Amino acid sequence: MRLFKPAPAALILSFALTATAFGQTGEDLAHRDDFTMNAISGGDFRGYVSDAVVEDDIWGHSMRTLGVFHNHMHELMSEYARHAAEEMGSEHVPEFENRISGGEWTDYRRNLEDAGDTSAWADFVQVTEIMHDRVHHAMYTSALYDMKTRDRDVDLADYVGDRAPHDQADTIPERSDLAMDYASSDAFRLLVWDYDFEGERLHAAMQKMTVFDNMLSDLMTQWAFHGASKDDEACRPPEFDSRISGEQWSAYAERVADCDDETWRDLVRITELMHDRIHHMMHAVMIHDGGAHGRENEVKELLE
């Protein structure tokens, strides 16, 4: 059951009036309805990995990392939802138990739309919904790649059901056709570290966001090491050191167009979209935080 503690009226008004001074808002902001994606549920992904992925190698580790990454994402979204309910005084957050589901987050976004909310926070909720979907898209694609390349004695359809009805080619837009705001890992971390808002759920959520970003980097690096072992040079990532950066992964997504392994090619491109949407989400919550705590200039400097 959701706990609800009403916020002072002045605080609610300050959140409601917060507007994005820069970046995408309103009609310019991407919406879930703009995309089609294939998916697998978190429970079914966990079941597939537990049943089929037994190898103690970099690929096997990456699949287990992705499962934990997904669970942490829902913990993170739950922390943001509780911030909205308990500290912003929002009545639009649906009740949920321990963790908010993707469907409950969609209900939240719809509730804000129905209420005509055009705040920076509503933008954040909208971007987060797309981010969530893209993570599940990557989970499905990684399981598909695993089944095809590891000769599994399972049928992925038994786990996916009707959640992946689309041709994969129809689910992957060109990155150049998308408009996304972006916050770097360093900018986000500095904002979290350099401001004392102890006791707020927003702080806890943003701290969890830094962990989420580090897990994303770990996952991408594990996949990059796996890709580096491929025979086809076009399927391999560009050179990187101990960790692959977002910029290097974007370069990977460009060169992988000539890779002869279709499912791996799809996973690399979907991972780029997932990475960029996560950093778009980080940008959106930084904008909200700047307006809510009167530090718009500090946020603007970090994002420049």
Side-chain angles (χ1 to χ4, degrees), residues 161-212:
D162 61 357
R163 294 174 64 100
H166 308 290
D167 187 318
Q168 280 281 72
D170 296 332
T171 68
I172 308 175
E174 292 296 329
R175 179 60 182 84
S176 58
D177 293 338
L178 302 175
M180 293 188 224
D181 289 320
Y182 188 90
S184 71
S185 300
D186 287 341
F188 191 87
R189 186 180 65 251
L190 285 172
L191 185 69
V192 175
W193 283 1
D194 288 353
Y195 185 74
D196 180 15
F197 43 128
E198 194 66 35
E200 292 190 26
R201 283 198 178 275
L202 180 61
H203 188 215
M206 292 178 79
Q207 288 281 20
K208 285 185 177 181
M209 189 81 216
T210 63
V211 176
F212 190 54

Side-chain angles (χ1 to χ4, degrees), residues 4-257:
F4 177 77
K5 180 176 72 175
L11 180 60
I12 297 174
L13 182 61
S14 72
F15 278 111
L17 295 180
T18 297
T20 304
F22 50 97
Q24 299 171 354
T25 58
E27 295 181 359
D28 295 331
L29 192 66
H31 193 280
R32 183 186 197 181
D33 293 346
D34 298 332
F35 306 102
T36 56
M37 302 185 207
N38 290 320
I40 183 172
S41 74
D44 287 331
F45 183 82
R46 181 171 62 248
Y48 177 85
V49 173
S50 299
D51 293 343
V53 183
V54 298
E55 294 85 358
D56 185 20
D57 59 11
I58 194 69
W59 174 255
H61 285 300
S62 77
M63 292 291 278
R64 290 182 280 275
T65 297
L66 179 55
V68 177
F69 178 74
H70 160 265
N71 289 343
H72 187 79
M73 173 183 70
H74 280 276
E75 295 286 350
L76 173 67
M77 292 166 62
S78 299
E79 203 70 49
Y80 281 126
R82 293 186 180 102
H83 160 66
E86 297 173 14
E87 294 174 345
M88 294 173 63
S90 174
E91 298 179 353
H92 301 303
V93 181
E95 291 190 0
F96 61 93
E97 297 297 331
N98 295 324
R99 295 195 317 184
I100 194 166
S101 69
E104 288 164 339
W105 192 271
T106 292
D107 290 341
Y108 181 28
R109 187 264 301 163
R110 288 172 176 161
N111 291 344
L112 292 176
E113 285 183 348
D114 291 344
D117 192 328
T118 58
S119 66
W121 180 258
D123 289 347
F124 164 75
V125 171
Q126 186 168 316
V127 170
T128 300
E129 181 184 31
I130 301 170
M131 179 280 303
H132 165 272
D133 291 355
R134 196 61 78 184
V135 170
H136 280 269
H137 193 187
M139 290 162 64
Y140 166 76
T141 309
S142 68
L144 182 63
Y145 172 80
D146 178 84
M147 186 185 68
K148 287 186 174 182
T149 59
R150 294 295 174 108
D151 195 26
R152 303 299 189 195
D153 188 23
V154 295
D155 185 351
L156 184 59
D158 292 339
Y159 298 86
V160 175
D162 61 357
R163 294 174 64 100
H166 308 290
D167 187 318
Q168 280 281 72
D170 296 332
T171 68
I172 308 175
E174 292 296 329
R175 179 60 182 84
S176 58
D177 293 338
L178 302 175
M180 293 188 224
D181 289 320
Y182 188 90
S184 71
S185 300
D186 287 341
F188 191 87
R189 186 180 65 251
L190 285 172
L191 185 69
V192 175
W193 283 1
D194 288 353
Y195 185 74
D196 180 15
F197 43 128
E198 194 66 35
E200 292 190 26
R201 283 198 178 275
L202 180 61
H203 188 215
M206 292 178 79
Q207 288 281 20
K208 285 185 177 181
M209 189 81 216
T210 63
V211 176
F212 190 54
D213 183 43
N214 273 282
M215 294 177 70
L216 172 65
S217 179
D218 287 343
L219 175 64
M220 289 167 57
T221 298
Q222 289 171 32
W223 281 346
F225 276 117
H226 175 75
S229 68
K230 290 189 169 293
D231 293 333
D232 184 352
E233 184 176 357
C235 298
R236 298 179 213 147
E239 289 188 10
F240 64 97
D241 293 323
S242 59
R243 297 170 80 87
I244 193 166
S245 67
E247 292 78 9
Q248 289 169 322
W249 194 275
S250 291
Y252 192 9
E254 288 186 15
R255 74 184 294 176
V256 82

